[in-house]
Structure formats: structure tokens, C-alpha cells
Amino acid sequence: MKVLSVVGARPQFIKAFPVSRALADAGHEEVLVHTGQHYDEEMSDVFFEELGIPEPAYNLGVGSDGHVQQTARMMTGLADLVEEEEPDCLLVYGDTNSTLAGALVAVQTNRGLVHVEAGLRSGNRDMPEETNRILTDHVSDVLCAPTAEAVRNLEAEGLEERTVNTGDVMYDAALWARDQAREHSDVLDRLELDDGGYVLATVHRAANTDDPARLEAILEGLASVDEPVVLPAHPRTKSRLEEYDLWDLATEYLRVVEPVGYLDFVRLLDGADRVATDSGGVQKEAFFLRTPCVTLREETEWVETVEAGGNVLVGADTEAIEAALARTDWSYGGGEPYGDGNAAAAVADSLSRL
Ligand code: UD1
Ligand code: UDP
């Protein structure tokens, strides 16, 4: 089968890494398309280099813009490619604007559509990601759900016939990366951090970065920690810290560094005493690596991590962040809710449902 896979944002390069391999192993022909949503070297190229994913066959170079303009440019570029490449199906990941653009183009050009990481719901319709994932799920032909909870969400919306529980492809990627990172990453030496002696933080959600009061409250919470706090800053966060005059506060108390590559990030997460994050992917990776996670949001799609006791939701409340980071009672439950590390092969198999 000829598959046109659409990626564009950092977490999608990581998700594509095990899936591209599995598609090739299963004998499918893949045309990998990068929309260009993320374009800085450390937000894009670094992942292709270190993960050994083939360079995308096409890069649409859409860059940053408003949601409408960005999504529209992606759709136009993808529609041209569908005409040129004539794929049997499109495959999209997660919940970004690149996901939605790929989904709408698949429907409008009468191609099959496979959604990897289907069925996630935060219940917060103010997040652009929630709209992207709901719309994508409802027009997909094959819904690759990473967890039993995601399957239940899809059943509740009447989508069970198109759903398959594949497990989570990020778990496949993280298992590989953990071992590679322990062996090859020198990030702790470079940043002069002691294993187990620092807190890792990431912040990039629009709701946190684009609200100066929330961003400041988060910084204050992180500043309360006695250990070094390292913050690999997403470009969006860096520009907001400057815009809101919070740069000095951030750099006085935190080690603000450029975003790091995947292996370095996994090493940082593996060696951290705690992580504070508003990322979806990082919450899960923290769970895989058994690093206690303090989530800087009011809700999460990855409810299993909270139910097991390895993740706590604190929003942007300074005192709650401080208290959660000081907690010592973390647990991880008995089972493995994210599959057995072979999700990518299950995604490749799921194409037979088209
Ligand atoms: C996007 C996704 C979000 C995902 C995140 C992963 C949407 C709506 N949001 O958010 O779901 O969690 O990616 O990281 O699709 N920028 C740069 N260089 C880059 C990329 C971005 O400077 O390489 C800056 C630009 O100022 C841009 C801003 O970051 O306006 C936001 O980028 P954008 O891709 O629109 O959204 P993210 O916040 O990255
Ligand atoms: N990540 C990375 N370098 C960083 C920060 C994150 O490689 O400096 C990886 C992280 O391991 C995870 C993914 O990027 O796999 C998460 O991306 P992000 O937080 O940007 O997006 P989300 O998962 O929230 O959509």
C-alpha cells in the first residue's frame, strides 16, 4: 500500500520514527511529508539526524502563522502532493494543525485516513488540540488508539467499528531511546547536572505561555525548588518570556537552555528527580521512565499516569506546584497501560482494515 505520512511538529517526528520502520518492514511504500510547522534546527532537523529517519520526501515549508493561515497552506500543499503521488491513504499523528490538515485533505481527495494516537480527550474545548483530535477522529477510517481509555472515548462517540487498540508508539520509541541515551548521551556532563539531583521543566502550551499571569506563577513555583531546575525552552516560550519581561526572573532561578534532541531529552528525564511539564508526550515518557511528574495543566488526556499515582495535575498555581514537587509518595500501578512496545507494528497491521 502507498502511504503518505504527514508530520510537522516535534512530537510527530518522534512518533514517526518507529512507525516508518514498521511500515517498511510490512512492505508498505511510505512518502513522508513534513509540513514545515516546526522548522528550527533544534525543533526539527535534529530528530531526523539522530533517529535515522529518512529525510522527508517533501517539506511544505509552511512556517508559523495563525491557525487558519497555517492549516490552509498545509492543505493546499498536501492536496498537490496527493494528486502527484496518488497514495492509497494518508497517515496522521496526534493533534496538531498538521494532523488536521492531513485529515481534511484525505477526506476531500477520497483517500483512506489512518489516525495514530486516536481517541485522546482532555474535555477542554478551548485547546486547539482538542478540536484537531475530535475532527480527525471523526473523519478517519482507521483509529489507532494507544490505550483502553482512548478506546472507551471512541466507543462513546460511536466510532468503535473503526477503532483498534494498537498501544502507544511513543512507548516503542522511549524504550529504544532510554537505553541509547544511557549509553550515548553526555547531556548531564554538558549541563553539569548530577544524576538524580535536578528538576526538569518544559512549558509550551498556549494556555500557559500566552498568559503572563500563568507563566509568571509557573516560574515562581519552579523557583521554589532547592535543586537546579533545567528548562529547555520551546521557541514560543522563549519569545513570550522576553515579551512579558519575565526573562530575568526565569534565568535568575532556572537554567534556561535551547531545546535539546530526543536522546538528550530522554536522558535528562531519566536522570531527573522530578519533571514539571505541560507537554502531553513528556507526561507519558516520565511515566515510562518512572520519573515523578507534576503537570502544569488542569486536565490531562493521559489519565492512566494520574490514576497510577505517577503524575499530579496542578495547573499554574504556584503553591500547588511547590507542594507537588516536594511530594515523595509516587506510584506506578501494576500494569502497563501503553502496550507492550510493539505498537508501531500494530499500526502497520491496521492498514489491512482500509
Ligand atoms: C504545536 C502544536 C501543539 C504541540 C506542539 C509540540 C498546534 C495547534 N499546536 O504547538 O499541539 O504540542 O506543537 O511542540 O498545532 N516557533 C519557532 N520555531 C519553530 C517552531 C515554532 O520559533 O521551529 C515559534 C513561532 O513563534 C510560532 C510558535 O513557536 O509562532 C508556536 O509554534 P506552533 O507550531 O504554531 O505551535 P506550538 O506551540 O509549537
Ligand atoms: N522533547 C525533546 N527535546 C526537548 C523537549 C521535548 O526531544 O527539548 C521531546 C520529548 O521527549 C517528547 C516530545 O518532544 O517526546 C514532546 O514534544 P512537545 O512537548 O513539544 O509536544 P506535545 O507532546 O505536548 O505535543
Side-chain angles (χ1 to χ4, degrees), residues 217-218 220-222 224 294 314-326:
I218 289 171
E220 301 278 3
L222 295 175
S224 70
V294 173
V314 294
D317 178 322
T318 302
E319 271 99 63
I321 295 169
E322 202 176 332
L325 285 170

Side-chain angles (χ1 to χ4, degrees), residues 11 37-40 64 67 96-97 129 204-205 234-236:
Q37 178 169 352
H38 287 174
Y39 44 87
D40 289 346
S64 305
H67 292 302
T96 72
N97 289 345
E129 291 86 356
H204 78 279
R205 290 280 158 206
H234 188 291
R236 167 184 211 120

Side-chain angles (χ1 to χ4, degrees), residues 22 36 71 113 124 129 136 141 150 155 160 171 189 205 235 245 247 254 275 288 295 309 315 318 333 339 341 351:
T71 311
L113 177 62
N124 179 354
E129 291 86 356
T136 301
D141 300 295
E155 281 170 358
E160 60 272 22
Y171 187 42
D189 290 340
R205 290 280 158 206
D245 284 332
W247 183 255
L254 317 178
V275 60
F288 303 152
T295 293
T318 302
L351 266 55

Side-chain angles (χ1 to χ4, degrees), residues 68 71 75 80 88 130 137 149 164 179 211 243 273 308 341 345:
V68 174
T71 311
M75 287 185 66
D80 289 345
D88 299 298
E130 184 79 349
D137 282 342
E149 172 75 12
V164 50
D179 299 338
D211 178 338
E243 190 181 329
D273 189 22

Side-chain angles (χ1 to χ4, degrees), residues 52-120:
I53 318 170
E55 280 296 302
Y58 301 93
N59 189 323
L60 302 176
V62 299
S64 305
D65 210 334
H67 292 302
V68 174
Q69 293 77 0
Q70 190 183 51
T71 311
R73 277 209 293 277
M74 290 174 188
M75 287 185 66
T76 311
L78 287 170
D80 289 345
L81 286 183
V82 168
E83 204 174 306
E84 195 175 321
E85 291 286 346
E86 300 191 340
D88 299 298
C89 67
L90 277 74
L91 185 148
V92 297
Y93 295 93
D95 54 20
T96 72
N97 289 345
S98 298
T99 315
L100 180 63
L104 293 177
V105 168
V107 182
Q108 293 181 338
T109 60
N110 293 314
R111 308 287 150 164
L113 177 62
V114 180
H115 185 200
V116 178
E117 213 175 73
L120 278 298

